[in-house]
Amino acid sequence: KAGVTQTPRYLIKTRGQQVTLSCSPISGHRSVSWYQQTPGQGLQFLFEYFSETQRNKGNFPGRFSGRQFSNSRSEMNVSTLELGDSALYLCASSFQAENTEAFFGQGTRLTVV
Amino acid sequence: GNSVTQMEGPVTLSEEAFLTINCTYTATGYPSLFWYVQYPGEGLQLLLKATKADDKGSNKGFEATYRKETTSFHLEKGSVQVSDSAVYFCALKDFGNEKLTFGTGTRLTIIP
């Protein structure tokens, strides 16, 4: 069974640009969550999607957005990039049943210059 | 809100030493508890989990017991190996909610 796949693995963008990251969950998983990991703030929850609907959202500005498609694949978008957006962005998928765990992708390393 | 407090690192041990990484939590509900491990340049891998009080999660020689009375989920291993060098994260998830709340992570280095 394939794991969670995130593309691309690495990105370098300029301040003010926008970026789209992609996540393909494990087959059969309908819940996809996104996290930002930085040395200063650690792992922070961005949002969660289930059946194409955002169910939960973390405390991030509106520049951060996401969506989920009917095949459960998800994208997140960051507009008007700032230097502080440089981070490892992790996607996790889960089956969304009681007591199930989340499986993480390898992440996308975004560097804003 | 929910929070996880994790033992500050970094932790450096000799091979075959005993490992404990402390984790305590605050939760409004009755959460599931997890330990994840992150190797350099990688995402998070689930190490073990426990879903109710007194459950013991175990994997690859690591163990942690869900202690509701002390709101703790300490990670232990009897004899560490160099390959255990990584960053370890304690996390919780509320029932019915997919959001994970993580601790700050503990960097573990094992010296041969």
Side-chain angles (χ1 to χ4, degrees):
Chain A
K1 202 176 199 181
V4 179
T5 304
Q6 290 188 247
T7 55
R9 287 292 309 275
Y10 302 93
L11 267 177
I12 300 176
K13 290 287 188 180
T14 305
R15 271 181 302 175
Q17 287 186 312
Q18 75 165 16
V19 67
T20 299
L21 313 181
S22 179
C23 172
S24 294
I26 291 171
S27 178
H29 286 191
R30 294 167 64 191
S31 172
V32 174
S33 299
W34 289 87
Y35 294 83
Q36 182 196 63
Q37 184 177 24
T38 59
Q41 300 298 316
L43 281 153
Q44 295 188 90
F45 173 79
L46 280 154
F47 28 65
E48 184 232 347
Y49 286 87
F50 179 81
S51 291
E52 303 178 64
T53 301
Q54 187 182 87
R55 288 201 302 190
N56 207 344
K57 189 176 189 307
N59 189 26
F60 278 82
R63 300 185 297 107
F64 291 81
S65 63
R67 60 178 175 168
Q68 187 179 35
F69 302 95
S70 58
N71 62 358
S72 294
R73 190 177 71 85
S74 177
E75 290 181 347
M76 67 163 280
N77 183 278
V78 188
S79 62
T80 319
L81 284 165
E82 300 177 0
L83 295 179
D85 297 333
S86 295
L88 180 67
Y89 290 88
L90 292 164
C91 167
S93 77
S94 61
F95 186 65
Q96 214 279 308
E98 292 182 23
N99 302 327
T100 58
E101 60 268 31
F103 295 86
F104 283 80
Q106 291 187 296
T108 294
R109 171 76 61 186
L110 171 65
T111 302
V112 182
V113 297
Chain B
N2 295 340
S3 67
V4 176
T5 302
Q6 199 173 326
M7 176 177 173
E8 292 289 329
V11 174
T12 302
L13 295 172
S14 298
E15 205 166 20
E16 299 183 5
F18 183 86
L19 168 70
T20 300
I21 301 178
N22 290 336
C23 171
T24 58
Y25 67 90
T26 301
T28 52
Y30 198 169
S32 294
L33 302 174
F34 306 86
W35 277 100
Y36 281 88
V37 58
Q38 187 175 36
Y39 298 100
E42 300 291 322
L44 301 176
Q45 296 178 26
L46 178 69
L47 183 58
L48 52 84
K49 71 173 185 180
T51 58
K52 60 183 187 297
D54 300 324
D55 261 3
K56 178 185 282 190
S58 61
N59 186 25
K60 300 180 182 179
F62 291 90
E63 294 182 339
T65 301
Y66 190 141
R67 300 288 188 200
K68 191 167 187 291
E69 64 276 12
T70 55
T71 61
S72 65
F73 193 55
H74 305 320
L75 183 68
E76 296 182 335
K77 186 175 186 183
S79 177
V80 292
Q81 306 300 313
V82 172
S83 57
D84 294 328
S85 298
V87 181
Y88 292 80
F89 292 92
C90 184
L92 69 80
K93 185 174 75 162
D94 271 335
F95 180 82
N97 187 331
E98 293 304 302
K99 174 186 173 182
L100 284 161
T101 300
F102 287 92
T104 53
T106 301
R107 182 175 299 279
L108 173 67
T109 301
I110 306 301
I111 299 171

